[in-house]
Amino acid sequence: MMHCLLDTEEMAEADRGAIAGGVPGIALMEAAGAACADAAVDLMAQTPGGRRVLVACGPGNNGGDGFVAARLLAERGYAVTLAFLGDAARLAGDAAIAAARWTGALVPLEQADPAASGDRAYDVVVDALFGAGLTRDVSGVPAAFLERLAASGLPVVAVDVPSGLDGNTGRVRGTACPAAITVTFARRKPGHLLQPGRALCGRLRLVDIGIPDAVIESLAPNTFANEEPLWRAAFPHPGIDAHKYSRGHALVLSGPADATGAARLVARGALRIGAGAVTIGSPTDALAVNAAQLTAIMLRPCDDADDLAGLLEDPRITALALGPGLGRERARALVEAAAGAAHARTRALVLDADALTAFAGEHAALARLLAGVERVVATPHAGEFAKLLSDCPEAREAPSKLAAARAGAAALGIVLVDKGPDTVIAAPDGRAAINTTGTPYLATAGSGDVLAGFCAGLLAQSMPVFEAACAAVNLHGRAGARVGPGLIAEDLPEALPGVLGEVLDPASG
Ligand SMILES: NC(=O)C1=CN([C@@H]2O[C@H](COP(=O)(O)OP(=O)(O)OC[C@H]3O[C@@H](n4cnc5c(N)ncnc54)[C@H](OP(=O)(O)O)[C@@H]3O)[C@@H](O)[C@H]2O)[C@@H](O)CC1
Ligand SMILES: Nc1ncnc2c1ncn2[C@@H]1O[C@H](COP(=O)(O)OP(=O)(O)O)[C@@H](O)[C@H]1O
Ligand SMILES: [K+]
């Protein structure tokens, strides 16, 4: 369960559980400090002759880890300067024990100069000011230090988090200095994966400090990194006796003649990810445009809600995707028709773009419509999310993207994919995952349409809804990264077979 994430409260609980189970707190701190010392050594190895380290320690246990790292680095022969924030007489608990084992001098933090030059220059800095115990914005002496540190450009090892980064939200409180390596303990925290936190952490190094897995499992964490272990077991594979309808049939609704491309991208995504059959339901005036550009994908006329209701009489249509290119008014009528159609309870729905903005400020109306549909995924980008949930204070005023997505999913009663560089997938039961794949090259027109298609294609194959949304987002990110510079949306479905080969091949891990 290395893909679960712990928030700061859960991490403190895990520390307490390990200590109650017989692992001394100072042993956890020694292991944490040793891993930070190793990271500093690794960074110094990249600097010819690197041997001078500045360790900045705060007044809590994060500082305690810093004291351990400083001692171990000095024992290994490095020249260590320890800068301390606060009153050493007030150190308590394990941090006081760690500080007592440091026999060198304490330089007041305000006197530490990361930009020192010549004989006094540093090669690496260890940032152990604040970690999980950050309770307010960083200001005054530590803020000035972190700003000097950032300006110095020196490589930094952040202990647990770059000081000032909130481990729960990924947001900066006051100020924070970007790290080259962030060393964290037992499990990653949401703030390591949410932006801007993820960018500030540099390379993230997760180390085992001796907290037993059973202690972590007893906390039943429900926040995850969106990695394969979260959904691989639920991923659909065709059986030996498969036929196209046993692999599901996805219906995708097209916009008018001048807005048909989005539906084709959705449809192509659904087909590539394994739906046995995909049909585009197209306005009559757009049939010729669509027909000219489709081969394996089928085409049926669908002008209005009545036509859709007719198409949905067919129980073999196991997923419906709608929104892109539809226009708000038509999208709303079609969502209403889909929710009331035959087999609506068991047919999966994917809502994107206009199907979401059609309910701007009326999320409760959408929730009521969808209450009888078992598997629904909505895939808003930040703007669509804000519009759809503008009347939901829990989502609007949430302290983080993670909390906002959870609140939105709970309010709508559906799985929400809150897209962006740190896409969050949240289920109404409280589970949430933060995506770890992708590339900024995904920021290109139509890439979200392909994602909606990946969701629809997996849902058409009966995949459970949260796992399907997580798999779609992960694979979409991988496909984007595989293509990289030059990526256009059309590339994403075509990159998928290679990605699937890697991810689903048991030999690949
Ligand atoms: N056994 C364990 O538990 C283990 C814990 N581990 C390590 O402990 C870390 C958590 O330690 P922690 O809980 O002591 O909190 P920490 O991050 O040191 O900060 C608290 C101190 O900072 C102060 N402070 C806060 N905000 C401030 C601000 N803006 N500006 C100024 N001051 C501010 C706050 O002051 P106060 O709010 O009390 O006035 C308090 O003195 C964790 O990240 C990991 O590195 C590992 O060793 C593994 C074993
Ligand atoms: N900077 C980024 N890094 C990683 N992924 C991104 C970034 N920007 C956008 N994406 C992804 O690209 C897709 C864009 O979707 P969307 O905004 O709906 O585009 P469109 O409407 O043009 O299809 C989403 O899956 C989103 O998560
Ligand atoms: K820190």
Side-chain angles (χ1 to χ4, degrees), residues 11-12 15 19 25-26 28-29 32 58-63 65 85 94 129-139 142 159-161 185 209:
M11 184 63 204
D15 283 336
I19 292 166
I26 186 66
L28 300 175
M29 192 170 274
N61 288 329
N62 196 251
D65 297 346
L85 170 70
D94 298 326
L129 288 176
F130 314 114
L134 184 75
T135 47
R136 55 192 179 277
D137 285 4
V138 181
S139 62
V159 179
D160 202 8
V161 283
F185 316 118
I209 55 168

Side-chain angles (χ1 to χ4, degrees), residues 40-92:
V41 169
D42 292 346
L43 284 182
M44 276 184 289
Q46 293 165 17
T47 312
R51 56 176 296 277
R52 291 157 302 186
V53 193
L54 173 62
V55 182
C57 294
N61 288 329
N62 196 251
D65 297 346
F67 275 103
V68 170
R71 189 191 81 235
L72 297 175
L73 286 164
E75 284 173 9
R76 289 164 79 167
Y78 294 97
V80 180
T81 301
L82 193 146
F84 181 65
L85 170 70
D87 175 358
R90 292 185 55 196
L91 282 164

Side-chain angles (χ1 to χ4, degrees), residues 103 318 335 378 503:
T103 52
T318 47
V335 172
V503 172

Side-chain angles (χ1 to χ4, degrees), residues 1-5 186-188 213 216-217 220-221 224 229-230:
M1 291 284 278
M2 294 310 289
H3 61 291
C4 46
L5 307 177
R187 294 294 184 275
R188 288 164 289 178
D213 285 347
I216 293 171
E217 276 155 31
F224 308 93
L230 190 57

Side-chain angles (χ1 to χ4, degrees), residues 375-391:
R375 293 181 302 146
V376 184
V377 176
T379 55
H381 59 52
E384 289 157 354
F385 186 97
K387 281 184 190 142
L388 175 61
L389 290 150
S390 61
D391 60 335

Side-chain angles (χ1 to χ4, degrees), residues 411-454:
L412 288 160
I414 65 175
V415 169
L416 259 191
V417 175
D418 188 355
K419 294 185 294 193
D422 50 357
T423 297
V424 175
I425 307 99
D429 63 13
R431 283 177 297 167
I434 306 170
N435 197 45
T436 56
T437 63
T439 159
Y441 292 107
L442 283 168
T444 179
S447 113
D449 302 330
V450 178
L451 174 66
F454 286 174

